[in-house]
Amino acid sequence: MSDRLKSVVFAAVMCVVVSLLLTTASTGLQRFQQQNILIDKHKNILQSVGLIDPGQKIDPEGVEKLFGESIKPLWVDPTGQLIEENNRGEQSLPVYVHVKDGGIEAYIIPINSRGLWGRILGYLALEADGSTVAGFTVYKHSETPGLGGEIEKRWFQKNWIGKQIVDQAGEFVSVGIAKGAVEQVIPKQNRPHYVDGISGATLTGKYLTAGIRQILEQYEPVSIKFRNNPANIRPPDKTGS
Amino acid sequence: MNGTITKSLTALRKTKSYRDIVFALWEANPISKQILGICSALAVTVQLQTALVMSVALTLVVAFSSMIISILRRLIPRNIRIIAEVAIIATLVIIADEILKAFLYDISKQLSVFVGLIITNCIVLGRAEGFALSNPPFRSFMDGIANGIGYSSILMGVAFLRELLGSGKLFGYAVIPDVLYQIGYTNNGLMVLAPGAFIVIGLFVWLEHTLLKKNR
């Protein structure tokens, strides 16, 4: 066999063997990985409303138990009306509510925003007044570690707590990421609507700001309901309380 | 009793594997002597836990890739040998990454890209090219283990100092008593950042070079 033919045959056989190995590993382990991803999502939802602290050691059963007790997944249509999960269509939006003593403490919106290198996935929790941010978490992103990747860090996420998505006149303004420290670059009256930026990650901040604005606009009908009459909103009976 | 232990120890010292391990641990340590694999050594040594998982993953990848390449060494055509080596290494790394994602999800999230980057870690390809291609499988396997341990020893040393000085913890457990914090002790913030790792690795390199010189 000539050298060239030998190389081609070796490469071909190697490709087949390697792809078989990788497919086996990937499909064999998929079940465990997806279970982990689901638990991680639930953990992030619990974190966004402050039910568990980041870094707190908690086993998967603990997460599932806490999630089942205090979080209800719901669906709403674009006008903010609750709908049955079976009737949901393409326009329906998922929302999670944090239930405590039969009332709603906070509602949690899934975030799926553009980032610099890929989608940023996380959760933004708003208090039952429909305007105050209760927490923000990121569970998946492809930003550069140390730069845009800081969005998954505690110091960045902590700054979101207590920010307002509406201004004093009651108009929707969303929450943005400042280009630098809020204290230095944002005029005083706008400070409740901005969080500190990450140095070296201006673009990540820009895309995430735009993404969050767009998502919050979509959920505005829900937020308006909470703002108008928070006391009247109760979780649906069939799912709990 | 003592005699038999000494005898078996001397016998052990004469084996090739033992000499390989000592050589890779000390005189030719991949990190502190050959300055290879620095990237991951900087990135994953903030905590002992991540450093340990990374060490185990890298050691297994080097050992098995060296062994497989050594078994195939007469089959691999010379002109595509680098491609073949990288393909074998990449396969093992991806499998290691998948296993971490399935069973140690939180740690795999912390290690993020660095497990994947084992593929480009010079130690792995260096051992494949420099050793496995010209030695039998078992010696190559042991050589991989030896170099993995050499890498791990520095990684664990750096992580030990960084976690202790940077966050006052070891393996996540607080070891510095509260009393010390109350009388004014603070954690060294530099140790948590990458420059801290640079300095610590530099100190390790210095220490080893000085000790090696003395021995001569």
Side-chain angles (χ1 to χ4, degrees):
Chain A
M1 219 180 334
S2 74
D3 274 1
R4 191 171 294 176
L5 187 65
K6 198 186 152 201
S7 302
V8 172
V9 171
F10 183 87
V13 172
M14 188 181 70
C15 286
V16 173
V17 172
V18 161
S19 37
L20 275 177
L21 275 175
L22 290 182
T23 319
T24 319
S26 155
T27 44
L29 295 169
Q30 205 172 31
R31 197 162 52 88
F32 299 99
Q33 292 171 356
Q34 279 177 346
Q35 181 68 13
N36 285 334
I37 291 169
L38 188 72
I39 287 169
D40 190 53
K41 274 187 187 175
H42 288 176
K43 216 166 156 182
N44 267 272
I45 293 175
L46 291 170
Q47 243 175 55
S48 72
V49 288
L51 281 173
I52 52 175
D53 292 327
Q56 181 185 338
K57 291 223 157 77
I58 178 163
D59 54 7
E61 290 79 33
V63 171
E64 288 306 285
K65 187 169 170 276
L66 200 57
F67 187 85
E69 279 168 3
S70 36
I71 306 288
K72 304 268 175 262
L74 300 173
W75 289 88
V76 291
D77 67 8
T79 61
Q81 286 298 332
L82 270 178
I83 47 176
E84 296 277 328
E85 199 184 339
N86 305 336
N87 298 340
R88 69 188 160 96
E90 272 178 26
Q91 299 278 305
S92 312
L93 304 166
V95 62
Y96 298 87
V97 290
H98 171 203
V99 184
K100 197 181 170 190
D101 306 326
I104 292 179
E105 282 276 294
Y107 58 106
I108 303 141
I109 297 170
I111 299 293
N112 180 344
S113 157
R114 183 184 167 188
L116 180 58
W117 302 116
R119 307 302 296 181
I120 296 172
L121 303 179
Y123 294 98
L124 185 74
L126 292 163
E127 283 174 18
D129 64 4
S131 68
T132 313
V133 176
F136 172 70
T137 61
V138 170
Y139 64 88
K140 194 171 182 209
H141 69 83
S142 333
E143 306 306 293
T144 322
L147 299 173
E150 293 290 295
I151 53 171
E152 66 178 19
K153 293 287 164 63
R154 181 73 189 135
W155 73 263
F156 178 74
Q157 299 181 356
K158 203 173 65 186
N159 289 335
W160 289 74
I161 300 169
K163 297 290 170 187
Q164 298 290 326
I165 64 164
V166 291
D167 64 11
Q168 281 176 335
E171 289 296 309
F172 171 72
V173 288
S174 182
V175 176
I177 296 154
K179 207 179 157 183
V182 170
E183 296 268 304
Q184 286 159 19
V185 295
I186 304 291
K188 197 158 188 190
Q189 71 274 16
N190 288 338
R191 283 183 196 163
H193 317 303
Y194 283 93
V195 294
D196 289 347
I198 301 162
S199 49
T202 313
L203 282 175
T204 302
K206 203 175 111 186
Y207 293 136
L208 188 57
T209 303
I212 284 182
R213 163 175 279 278
Q214 195 203 337
I215 291 158
L216 282 176
E217 262 167 11
Q218 259 185 335
Y219 281 87
E220 205 28 29
V222 181
S223 301
I224 286 172
K225 285 200 165 165
F226 274 100
R227 255 174 254 153
N228 289 346
N229 209 346
N232 277 353
I233 301 175
R234 297 252 152 218
D237 287 336
K238 74 168 179 63
T239 47
S241 75
Chain B
M1 187 67 194
N2 260 340
T4 47
I5 291 176
T6 336
K7 222 182 251 173
S8 51
L9 268 181
T10 14
L12 182 74
R13 283 209 189 97
K14 277 188 185 141
T15 60
K16 275 180 178 172
S17 308
Y18 177 84
R19 267 183 281 160
D20 287 347
I21 288 181
V22 173
F23 187 66
L25 251 179
W26 191 237
E27 283 164 56
N29 187 300
I31 297 187
S32 61
K33 207 64 210 282
Q34 305 180 42
I35 321 290
L36 297 177
I38 293 291
C39 169
S40 56
L42 293 176
V44 301
T45 50
V46 179
Q47 293 167 344
L48 275 166
Q49 199 188 29
T50 48
L52 180 68
V53 174
M54 185 71 182
S55 299
V56 173
L58 183 119
T59 306
L60 291 178
V61 168
V62 190
F64 282 102
S65 68
S66 284
M67 185 180 78
I68 294 169
I69 290 166
S70 171
I71 293 171
L72 297 173
R73 70 188 187 279
R74 290 187 224 286
L75 281 174
I76 299 175
R78 277 206 73 73
N79 49 352
I80 58 162
R81 69 176 195 289
I82 300 273
I83 302 173
E85 286 161 16
V86 172
I88 292 166
I89 295 165
T91 311
L92 287 171
V93 169
I94 295 170
I95 292 175
D97 197 27
E98 295 279 323
I99 292 175
L100 285 180
K101 272 190 195 140
F103 301 109
L104 291 168
Y105 190 72
D106 288 339
I107 293 176
S108 90
K109 263 184 110 176
Q110 281 176 43
L111 289 171
S112 67
V113 293
F114 295 103
V115 174
L117 284 178
I118 294 178
I119 297 170
T120 58
N121 193 316
C122 319
I123 301 172
V124 190
L125 195 61
R127 291 335 286 172
E129 270 287 290
F131 198 91
L133 274 183
S134 45
N135 284 288
F138 181 73
R139 271 199 78 190
S140 302
F141 181 82
M142 288 315 286
D143 174 75
I145 295 273
N147 276 278
I149 294 174
Y151 169 88
S152 310
S153 63
I154 301 289
L155 222 66
M156 295 307 283
V158 175
F160 174 82
L161 285 177
R162 286 183 76 188
E163 193 174 354
L164 182 68
L165 300 175
S167 8
K169 293 176 181 170
L170 289 178
F171 281 107
Y173 295 101
V175 286
I176 294 186
D178 273 344
V179 186
L180 270 179
Y181 286 107
Q182 277 157 22
I183 59 172
Y185 174 84
T186 46
N187 290 324
N188 184 344
L190 178 66
M191 282 298 151
V192 185
L193 304 171
F198 251 121
I199 294 169
V200 176
I201 293 176
L203 291 174
F204 272 88
V205 174
W206 181 24
L207 178 76
E208 194 187 336
H209 280 242
T210 325
L211 290 176
L212 270 178
K213 245 185 218 162
K214 251 187 207 160
N215 279 353
R216 260 174 218 146

